[in-house]
Amino acid sequence: MVRSNRATRNRFERIAHLLLATALIAPSASSERSAENLSVPDRAVEQLRALRGEEPPTKHEVEDLLVEGADECVDLCLELLLTEKIPALTEDAPQRLSIQQETILLGALERMPRELVRQAADRDLLGATDERARVVACRVYGRAGSASDVDLLFTLSCDEGAEDTTAALRAGFRDGLKHLVTQPDAAVAIERKWPTAPDALRESTLLALGDSRDARALPLLRDVITWSDEWALLAIAQVRLIGASLDTQLNASLADSLADRLDDSETRIREAACFALGELRDEDHVEELIGLLDGADAVVRGAAHKSLIRIAGTQLPPNTRVWRVWFERERAAVDEMLNKLTDRLLTGPPTPVLEQLRDSTRFALGRHELAAALLPALDHENEEVRLTACKALRQLGSPVAIDALVYALGDHADEVRRAALGALFTITGVEGLETPDEWRDYLDDRSELY
């Protein structure tokens, strides 16, 4: 339903008057207000105002109160965001909405039942025309929306055919899209939207992808790096913020796109591509980085050297010959180890298996290949072998081991289960998941990347 801004504001004024009237009615003989006698919205208003008091509540206390009273507070949250004021329940003056209060209101809306927030937003924000209402709509739909709302955020933020939009709308769009991209299939919808996106929102779109720190944004960033000279530098910057994904094939194709930019005509792009390859710990283009150590551009030479140090995990001088010798020796040692890590060895007597498992983590290169080769050891009949395999996979840090480690969470030995869980935490950066079902649900939610 589309409402006029005047009707929407009138409705919010009525809510504010009701809050004030409720607060002024004395429920007891002493006519003193108490927390027990206040409605949930009134208590929420008091808590929000108390954030500026001498003994303020915590952010989580206020947010929890709003979420627990979601049925009564969802309209209040929208009202306060739109009017940018916290009303007074007595004769005190209203407070201007602070950044902290705004953050709490948006955080509460994000945690409230999605359908409840959507229903209120569709009623009061859809079709908004004034700037503040559109900004609030972007932020709310970003938190309560789905992949189908990607077009809506673009429409709210920039009028059709307009060459520019306001700074406030760009900021609201960026904030909303940052949250929306974490929803299933939203990154794919943004990728489809990119070719026809308004020029006024292209920068904000890329910045939102980086803000999300969500690897589901990497396919679009890869395509921008490959095809757009204008936006390649900004896209590379977002890749550096996000880092590698759980999909090694995606990481490899992303690295290929970055490597293609190593001979770009612009120094800043070559420098950024070097750094991004280092942060991805990409091994396939080490020789190209080594070759840049002889280049004429000192900035690019420095970036290539720092990236090589990050990939190698060792300090070597910026000398092409030194790095080539290191690379050849390291690669040969990895290949030798891979030849030893046969299924026959890894399912045989424990002593030689343990020796090879411990030795397999000393290499800077080949971590994905080594991790894949070690997986049979997780099924070994010896508990110490299974435990050591989990620890080795944790050190290697390769996502190719995730499925096998989730399976190892069902091991009958407590120590092996704990070691498998620690390895999953290290590889994914995710904490708080314990059971195999929780991990499978998490991975299913990111099926675009895994």
Side-chain angles (χ1 to χ4, degrees), residues 6 32 37 61 73-74 84 93 106 115 138 142 176 178 253 258 269 275 342 388 406-407 416 430:
R6 179 176 298 175
E32 293 181 355
N37 295 321
E61 288 173 340
C73 291
V74 63
E84 299 182 85
L106 289 169
E115 285 306 311
C138 284
K178 159 190 166 181
S253 66
L258 290 166
I269 291 181
F275 283 132
T342 62
T388 305
V406 170
Y407 175 79
V416 175
V430 176

Side-chain angles (χ1 to χ4, degrees), residues 281 357-358 361-362 367 388 390-398 423 426-427:
R281 291 182 62 186
L357 286 174
R358 292 167 182 143
T361 61
R362 65 183 176 85
R367 62 193 184 99
T388 305
C390 289
K391 292 178 179 178
L393 292 169
R394 179 175 186 169
Q395 286 184 263
L396 290 169
S398 172
T426 298
I427 294 169

Side-chain angles (χ1 to χ4, degrees), residues 24 35 53 125 133 152 206 212 229 348 363 378 383 386 409 422:
L24 294 176
L125 298 176
L152 175 60
L206 295 178
S212 74
D229 291 338
F363 305 102
L378 291 173
E383 179 180 329
R386 301 196 304 277
L409 292 177

Side-chain angles (χ1 to χ4, degrees), residues 5 46 73 105 125 128 160 199 281 313 315 332 367:
N5 295 322
E46 279 206 334
C73 291
L105 293 169
L125 298 176
E160 186 176 356
D199 289 341
R281 291 182 62 186
Q315 289 276 353
R367 62 193 184 99

Side-chain angles (χ1 to χ4, degrees), residues 121-391:
D122 288 349
R123 181 188 64 229
D124 297 326
L125 298 176
L126 203 59
T129 56
D130 75 88
E131 181 183 75
R132 179 60 190 175
R134 291 165 69 182
V135 169
V136 171
C138 284
R139 289 182 165 152
V140 171
Y141 280 105
R143 288 163 172 81
S146 62
S148 62
D149 294 308
V150 167
D151 283 337
L152 175 60
L153 257 64
F154 279 91
T155 300
L156 285 166
S157 305
C158 187
D159 295 329
E160 186 176 356
E163 295 183 0
D164 201 2
T165 188
T166 68
L169 284 169
R170 285 195 296 271
F173 171 79
R174 176 177 173 179
D175 177 66
L177 198 65
K178 159 190 166 181
H179 289 84
L180 192 59
V181 73
T182 64
Q183 296 303 310
D185 300 320
V188 176
I190 298 169
E191 189 173 1
R192 285 198 295 263
K193 181 68 177 178
W194 175 261
T196 60
D199 289 341
L201 294 177
R202 288 188 180 274
E203 179 179 3
S204 298
T205 300
L206 295 178
L207 291 172
L209 299 182
D211 291 343
S212 74
R213 303 299 195 273
D214 196 300
R216 283 172 284 200
L218 292 176
L220 172 56
L221 294 172
R222 174 198 58 200
D223 292 346
V224 174
I225 292 167
T226 300
W227 303 109
S228 175
D229 291 338
E230 181 181 3
W231 297 107
L233 181 60
L234 187 59
I236 293 171
Q238 310 320 304
V239 169
R240 294 180 61 188
L241 288 173
I242 295 170
S245 77
L246 300 180
D247 184 341
T248 54
Q249 291 185 335
L250 171 59
N251 296 337
S253 66
L254 179 59
D256 288 343
S257 295
L258 290 166
D260 287 341
R261 290 289 180 175
L262 292 177
D263 60 357
D264 196 274
S265 59
E266 188 174 343
T267 295
R268 291 185 304 165
I269 291 181
R270 296 201 305 277
E271 178 192 25
C274 286
F275 283 132
L277 287 169
E279 285 154 15
L280 290 175
R281 291 182 62 186
D282 173 67
E283 299 177 14
D284 292 337
H285 301 284
V286 166
E287 290 181 285
E288 292 166 72
L289 290 172
I290 292 173
L292 292 175
L293 297 177
D294 283 335
D297 194 316
V299 171
V300 177
R301 289 201 308 270
H305 185 224
K306 289 177 182 177
S307 292
L308 286 167
I309 290 172
R310 182 172 178 81
I311 294 168
T314 186
Q315 289 276 353
L316 293 174
N319 182 285
T320 302
R321 181 179 176 279
V322 170
W323 278 102
R324 281 184 177 145
V325 169
W326 168 85
F327 179 75
E328 291 169 3
R329 289 177 177 173
E330 186 76 8
R331 190 64 249 180
V334 169
D335 290 341
E336 182 180 355
M337 174 58 70
L338 289 170
N339 287 333
K340 294 178 181 178
L341 295 174
T342 62
D343 287 351
R344 181 176 180 181
L345 170 77
L346 293 172
T347 56
T351 301
V353 181
L354 289 168
E355 180 182 349
Q356 296 303 322
L357 286 174
R358 292 167 182 143
D359 200 32
S360 66
T361 61
R362 65 183 176 85
F363 305 102
L365 301 180
R367 62 193 184 99
H368 301 308
E369 299 162 275
L370 290 166
L374 295 183
L375 297 183
L378 291 173
D379 286 324
H380 201 283
E381 63 181 11
N382 182 275
E383 179 180 329
E384 187 179 0
V385 169
R386 301 196 304 277
L387 176 63
T388 305
C390 289
K391 292 178 179 178

